[in-house]
Amino acid sequence: GDRERRAPREVKAQGPKLYCGDLPWELSAEELAAHFEKYGKVVNAYLAEVQFAASVNGYKPHRGFGFVEFSSEEEATKALK
């Protein structure tokens, strides 16, 4: 459904941090974090935002990728599966 459409299509782990690429434009860092919370404790989630760009429909423009940081490497690995 709609939730799936927001899921990142490209994900790589770098220790406890996940690189999420090919992200939909209408996505916030909060939604990105929420998507991964079922796998473990998300300590940080952020998008590669486009600087000085105005928000569109309440979403800040980003470059199509972001990062999610878990409290442990195990959780990040689990999220990849």
Side-chain angles (χ1 to χ4, degrees):
D2 196 46
R3 302 286 320 140
E4 285 310 300
R5 200 172 54 78
R6 291 177 181 276
R9 289 181 284 274
E10 185 198 343
V11 181
K12 298 189 190 87
Q14 301 164 340
K17 197 185 270 189
L18 287 188
Y19 162 82
C20 307
D22 200 12
L23 297 172
W25 292 113
E26 291 199 337
L27 183 76
S28 66
E30 292 76 31
E31 289 169 333
L32 186 61
H35 175 75
F36 285 103
E37 271 169 351
K38 55 178 173 279
Y39 302 108
K41 182 171 165 27
V42 175
V43 275
N44 198 2
Y46 52 96
L47 300 170
E49 288 178 352
V50 178
Q51 283 190 310
F52 313 119
S55 293
V56 183
N57 297 334
Y59 289 98
K60 282 187 91 132
H62 61 84
R63 297 202 189 98
F65 68 94
F67 295 91
V68 175
E69 204 176 327
F70 287 97
S71 58
S72 75
E73 201 168 332
E74 290 76 28
E75 293 168 338
T77 310
K78 200 160 51 174
L80 282 177
K81 295 182 170 57

